[in-house]
């Protein structure tokens, strides 16, 4: 329901509550009284704009919490208790990237986390990826404004899905992503109004061995290069409004697993190449707006 400014402190009387979803245009704070709901398993605040920049300190008391959805950027509270943890938490989204966040992950306070969404309102250059290594069950990661990586071995090898928002696809980052042995879905998009400089998308030889779905949207990609044996299991490719791409690699059309290619608002040169392309049986090409037939 819509709540104006404040959540009633009396909410702590709902002691048997397991699911709480709060929708508010502007919320002054998340009351500490919520942390007395001992049975709470899901706290969903994705549709609330919270002025406070930090969760209440009592959040560590919610030992049964499984899903915590926030509409970033919200910080995790500090604690002097070295054993403080949320052992049953599986989903955590909308968390601000800062030193405290890195410390909490590095200390394995969320040992069973499977889905994580990290948010920043500025370009981030940090050790956040290195701090995720203790998350041995992490499968899905969404991260905003990833600028660079500290080392090639800085990310969990268990990840099956990664979403990057407003991030720079440098050669180092693409090399790191391509080395993840379980990565099946990769989505990269730009939401910000500013325009990033054009970059070349480079997939090294033999990279992305398990990737099945690749989606990129609103990216300033000048060229795309694929090494031999890259993306052998790619089934679905979606390119939305990447208007700088003038051509796609020839190696792409040789992928035996490729079944569906969707391209919207292509560069005129790319549109002309697609118009002349002969698709093999079993692979469908969808272009929006539809291509006019060659005269």
């Amino acid at each position: 329901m819509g709540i104006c400014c404040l959540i009633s402190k009396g909410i702590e009387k709902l002691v048997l509550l397991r699911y709480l979803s709060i929708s508010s245009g502007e919320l002054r704070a998340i009351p500490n009284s919520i942390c007395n709901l001992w049975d709470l398993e899901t706290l969903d605040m994705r549709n609330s704009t919270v002025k406070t920049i930090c969760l209440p300190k009592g959040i560590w008391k919610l030992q049964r919490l499984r899903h915590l959805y926030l509409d970033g950027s919200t910080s995790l509270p500090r604690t002097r208790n070295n054993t403080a943890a949320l052992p049953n938490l599986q989903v955590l989204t909308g968390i601000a990237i800062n030193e405290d966040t890195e410390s909490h992950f590095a200390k394995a306070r969320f040992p069973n986390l499977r889905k994580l969404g990290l948010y920043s309102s500025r370009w981030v250059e940090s050790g956040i990826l290195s701090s995720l290594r203790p998350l041995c069950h992490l499968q899905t990661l969404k991260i905003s404004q990833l600028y660079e990586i500290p080392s090639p071995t800085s990310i969990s090898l268990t990840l099956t899905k990664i979403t990057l928002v407003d991030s720079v696809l440098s050669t180092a980052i693409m090399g790191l992503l391509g080395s993840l042995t379980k990565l099946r879905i990769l989505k990269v998009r730009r939401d910000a109004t500013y325009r990033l400089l054009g970059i070349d998308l480079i997939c090294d030889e033999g990279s992305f061995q398990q990737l099945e779905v690749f989606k990129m949207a609103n990216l300033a990609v000048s060229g795309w290069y694929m090494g031999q044996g890259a993306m052998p299991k790619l089934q679905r490719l979606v390119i939305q409004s990447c208007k700088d791409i003038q051509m796609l690699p020839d190696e792409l059309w040789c992928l035996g697993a490729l079944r569906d290619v969707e391209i919207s608002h292509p560069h005129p040169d790319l549109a002309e190449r697609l118009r002349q392309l002969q698709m093999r049986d079993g692979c469908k090409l969808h272009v929006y707006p539809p291509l006019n037939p060659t005269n």
Side-chain angles (χ1 to χ4, degrees):
M1 60 181 179
I3 297 177
C4 180
C5 300
L6 294 174
I7 300 174
S8 171
K9 294 181 179 180
I11 199 170
E12 63 184 27
K13 296 179 181 179
L14 305 177
V15 292
L16 300 181
L17 200 64
R18 295 188 181 184
Y19 177 95
L20 175 60
S21 177
I22 299 173
S23 177
S24 174
E26 186 176 288
L27 201 61
R28 291 180 184 174
I30 303 174
N32 202 58
S33 55
I34 284 181
C35 302
N36 291 324
L37 300 175
W38 312 109
D39 283 341
L40 197 64
E41 295 180 359
T42 298
L43 176 58
D44 188 347
M45 303 190 68
R46 283 174 289 189
N47 296 317
S48 296
T49 302
V50 184
K51 283 191 173 183
T52 184
I53 59 174
C54 188
L55 286 169
K57 294 181 179 180
I59 197 73
W60 303 108
K61 296 189 295 184
L62 298 180
Q63 293 293 289
R64 296 188 179 182
L65 196 63
R66 294 176 180 268
H67 309 96
L68 178 54
Y69 300 98
L70 300 166
D71 194 9
S73 165
T74 307
S75 296
L76 296 166
R78 295 180 179 181
T79 176
R80 296 180 179 179
N81 184 355
N82 290 329
T83 62
L86 294 177
N88 291 305
L89 196 66
Q90 298 178 15
V91 179
L92 178 62
T93 67
I95 295 299
I97 300 175
N98 52 42
E99 292 182 0
D100 290 334
T101 301
E102 295 173 19
S103 175
H104 289 319
F105 289 138
K107 293 179 180 179
R109 299 193 191 277
F110 314 102
N112 290 301
L113 202 63
R114 287 166 170 74
K115 181 177 181 179
L116 174 63
L118 298 172
Y119 178 90
S120 176
S121 58
R122 57 183 175 80
W123 286 104
V124 172
E125 182 177 350
S126 69
I128 187 64
L129 293 181
S130 297
S131 69
L132 302 183
R133 292 195 66 82
L135 304 179
C136 57
H137 299 290
L138 190 64
Q139 297 179 351
T140 302
L141 173 64
K142 178 179 179 181
I143 186 167
S144 171
Q145 296 178 320
L146 177 65
Y147 184 62
E148 67 175 27
I149 58 175
S151 71
T153 58
S154 61
I155 195 168
S156 173
L157 299 178
T158 61
L159 288 167
T160 60
K161 179 180 178 180
I162 294 179
T163 301
L164 299 179
V165 182
D166 295 332
S167 302
V168 174
L169 284 182
S170 64
T171 301
I173 290 178
M174 285 299 294
L176 170 64
L177 297 174
S179 68
L180 298 179
T181 56
K182 295 185 178 181
L183 186 63
R184 293 188 295 106
I185 301 173
L186 175 60
K187 297 182 178 182
V188 187
R189 73 173 191 263
R190 180 175 62 88
D191 290 344
T193 56
Y194 56 81
R195 181 176 176 82
L196 298 176
L197 297 176
I199 54 98
D200 287 333
L201 199 64
I202 301 176
C203 301
D204 295 332
E205 181 177 340
S207 60
F208 296 100
Q209 283 295 297
Q210 300 299 322
L211 194 68
E212 298 175 359
V213 178
F214 183 28
K215 179 178 180 180
M216 49 182 168
N218 301 312
L219 300 186
V221 176
S222 301
W224 183 4
Y225 306 94
M226 291 182 65
Q228 184 178 3
M231 298 186 176
K233 296 186 178 180
L234 188 66
Q235 300 177 18
R236 176 169 169 77
L237 171 66
V238 180
I239 303 176
Q240 295 180 345
S241 301
C242 298
K243 300 180 180 180
D244 293 335
I245 300 180
Q246 299 182 28
M247 63 179 295
L248 297 176
D250 292 336
E251 292 82 359
L252 177 67
W253 309 113
C254 297
L255 298 178
L258 193 62
R259 295 291 180 266
D260 187 41
V261 180
E262 179 181 318
I263 303 175
S264 66
H265 305 287
H267 186 280
D269 290 348
L270 177 58
E272 181 61 28
R273 292 175 183 272
L274 295 174
R275 187 180 291 111
Q276 301 173 5
L277 187 65
Q278 296 293 324
M279 299 297 292
R280 61 172 173 76
D281 292 340
C283 184
K284 296 181 179 180
L285 173 64
H286 309 275
V287 182
Y288 307 98
L291 298 173
N292 295 322
T294 303
N295 293 328

